[in-house]
Amino acid sequence: MSLTIVLALGLLLTTATKFRVHGLPVGPGEFLIVIWIVLRFLQSLAADELPLTPPLCRMLVFWAWFTVAEALGTLNALIIGYPHDTGLFLHDVMAYPLVGMIACLSVLGADAEARMRQVTRAMVTWGTILLLPQVAAGFHLIRLPMIDPWFGNRFEGWSTNPNQLAFLCAVLVLAALHLADTAASTRERAASIAGMIVPLVIGRLTRTDTFTFALLAAIMVFLFCKARIWLNWRGPLPSLRPLLAGLVIIIAPMLLLAAAPFAIRATSDTTHLAMGLMKKGGGEAKQEADLRFALWHEAIGIGLRASMLGLGPGPHLSIPPELVAARETELKLDKGAGHPPVNGTPDFEAHNTFLDLFTQGGLIADFSVIWLIGSAALRTWKAQTAGLTAMLTGLSFFALTNLIVREPEFWFGVVLCLLAGTGRAARLAQQDRR
């Protein structure tokens, strides 16, 4: 098995949290990623493949500042006597170095862009292969013992949280969009488009609102970027008809499935249309919005009281009373990393990457993430890669409703964006030297 397949399977299976060892945040995905890290590091040493390329420099700068931010936050918590949930503190302490090594080793080498494109193809292909048995089990076509693929009326497959599966599906759809947009042949484009279908269906089954709105925003950004590319086209203009036909073919699956509620709720009322995109027809939208605003307000207050230095890794909010009351009647809420126990210590998250990092590493952590995302966005803009710009848009939307910097799939997307066009630039520079 090649390192490409090992990394792709590791990234895909990190969301299969129902297969993790009981009581430990380790499962088949983490096991494969550790194997890949060791082998990739040894391979780089053997090949003397340690040039300080711009993507690697950006990664090293980010992780240096991020580590400083988390360390200062931890020291600040010790000084003021702030109590941590030990288990969740250690969870983040283990997760950050893991995703950091994935990110740095992925951008290592002059051929990193070509190598990560192979990983992207493997992700899209194996993503469909691994998602199919999950959806088959969800509709009782097959039976997987000891695994319930549903969380109420939300599909979660092998994950312990529907949002986790929705994020993976969004990354797969946008990765397939990038492959279809940059395909060198009709066959490759068709295969990439086919790779969108299953993640789109399952993403909608998770009933995660962010999935739908992230894809709709990504589509709009993709269309804007394509229009910019065509308007700034240098040289003979290609025929408009095949360009438009290819564009429609690429985005049609996303538009049809993401906008399915529009067809169900055929009405001129824009409020009803927006509600149709949400889970349960928007029936819980107000309660969820109120809960999120309360969490965000609390996170801002905690960050300010910590002198904007943060309190170190781990969650730092109290579990909302509404959820504590709900657990008395809905026992299934007491499961998974997204539903920590009521144990007297702050162990709940703000469900917003920037606010959660504000409570962990203060302004330094937030600025480091904003700088990295901005660098990635600038790279995709200069490289004129519409698919990757759309991917970064989708990732940013998920960052507003989830803490995603611990997710390997987030770093997979950021790596692709930082590497955009670097392979081509390296080849041109080599030709100039000759």
Side-chain angles (χ1 to χ4, degrees):
M1 184 183 295
S2 68
L3 288 182
T4 296
I5 302 298
V6 172
L7 177 58
L9 289 177
L11 291 172
L12 291 167
L13 291 174
T14 53
T15 60
T17 48
K18 290 181 180 177
F19 294 127
R20 286 181 175 176
V21 178
H22 182 68
L24 295 175
V26 178
E30 290 76 15
F31 179 70
L32 288 172
I33 283 177
V34 170
I35 292 176
W36 178 82
I37 288 172
V38 173
L39 294 179
R40 176 70 186 126
F41 182 72
L42 294 176
Q43 183 187 62
S44 300
L45 286 179
D48 194 21
E49 193 182 73
L50 298 172
L52 282 176
T53 59
L56 179 59
C57 288
R58 290 188 180 94
M59 278 295 180
L60 292 176
V61 169
F62 165 79
W63 283 109
W65 279 109
F66 190 82
T67 303
V68 168
E70 294 287 347
L72 286 176
T74 303
L75 182 61
N76 187 37
L78 289 174
I79 292 174
I80 65 177
Y82 179 84
H84 281 105
D85 184 298
T86 305
L88 296 175
F89 174 84
L90 293 176
H91 174 270
D92 282 6
V93 169
M94 293 172 60
Y96 288 140
L98 184 69
V99 295
M101 287 186 284
I102 294 172
C104 292
L105 289 173
S106 294
V107 299
L108 198 61
D111 64 337
E113 185 181 20
R115 189 175 63 249
M116 288 307 295
R117 184 173 179 85
Q118 294 176 357
V119 174
T120 306
R121 289 198 193 100
M123 282 271 290
V124 172
T125 301
W126 281 96
T128 297
I129 293 172
L130 293 176
L131 288 174
L132 279 174
Q134 298 182 53
V135 74
F139 288 98
H140 308 293
L141 300 177
I142 62 174
R143 185 176 181 276
L144 300 176
M146 300 177 65
I147 293 180
D148 181 5
W150 293 94
F151 178 57
N153 66 340
R154 302 180 65 188
F155 188 79
E156 60 182 10
W158 294 344
S159 304
T160 52
N161 190 323
N163 296 332
Q164 196 176 34
L165 180 58
F167 182 57
L168 172 63
C169 289
V171 170
L172 290 176
V173 170
L174 296 173
L177 175 65
H178 165 60
L179 291 178
D181 181 45
T182 56
S185 65
T186 303
R187 181 179 179 181
E188 183 183 352
R189 181 172 289 108
S192 300
I193 293 171
M196 297 182 192
I197 297 174
V198 175
L200 271 171
V201 172
I202 294 182
R204 288 294 298 164
L205 288 175
T206 64
R207 298 179 182 272
T208 300
D209 298 334
T210 309
F211 174 84
T212 302
F213 290 113
L215 288 191
L216 290 176
I219 291 172
M220 289 188 287
V221 169
F222 178 80
L223 293 175
F224 173 78
C225 291
K226 295 301 290 185
R228 168 182 173 265
I229 292 170
W230 292 344
L231 288 173
N232 295 328
W233 192 280
R234 294 181 180 178
L237 285 173
S239 174
L240 185 59
R241 182 178 297 177
L243 286 177
L244 290 177
L247 189 62
V248 170
I249 290 172
I250 289 173
I251 67 172
M254 295 176 66
L255 287 173
L256 288 174
L257 287 172
F262 285 96
I264 297 173
R265 290 176 172 264
T267 175
S268 59
D269 187 340
T270 55
T271 302
H272 288 169
L273 288 174
M275 291 302 182
L277 288 170
M278 300 179 183
K279 55 180 175 285
K280 295 187 179 180
E284 299 178 351
K286 186 179 185 304
Q287 296 91 322
E288 288 193 12
D290 291 342
L291 179 60
R292 285 191 182 276
F293 284 134
L295 290 172
W296 295 351
H297 183 269
E298 183 183 354
I300 293 172
I302 290 173
L304 292 175
R305 288 193 296 273
S307 304
M308 293 186 287
L309 291 174
L311 298 166
H316 300 296
L317 277 68
S318 301
I319 299 178
E322 304 95 306
L323 294 184
V324 176
R327 291 180 179 187
E328 297 178 0
T329 56
E330 299 181 48
L331 297 179
K332 196 175 181 180
L333 288 177
D334 286 317
K335 66 173 190 126
H339 304 280
V342 181
N343 55 14
T345 58
D347 58 2
F348 205 76
E349 294 176 346
H351 293 75
N352 179 294
T353 295
F354 304 103
L355 292 179
D356 276 315
L357 291 181
F358 186 55
T359 66
Q360 291 188 10
L363 288 179
I364 299 176
D366 270 344
F367 284 151
S368 62
V369 171
I370 292 170
W371 172 79
L372 184 66
I373 293 176
S375 298
L378 185 61
R379 181 66 254 171
T380 62
W381 184 259
K382 288 183 176 179
Q384 297 188 347
T385 51
L388 290 181
T389 307
M391 174 180 284
L392 200 59
T393 302
L395 293 177
S396 299
F397 259 76
F398 268 92
L400 298 177
T401 58
N402 297 274
L403 177 58
I404 62 173
V405 291
R406 294 182 309 224
E407 305 298 331
E409 298 87 0
F410 168 74
W411 292 102
F412 164 75
V414 171
V415 163
L416 289 182
C417 294
L418 286 177
L419 292 174
T422 57
R424 180 176 55 190
R427 289 193 299 271
L428 291 175
Q430 188 176 11
Q431 291 173 2
D432 290 341
R433 287 194 295 270
R434 290 176 181 176

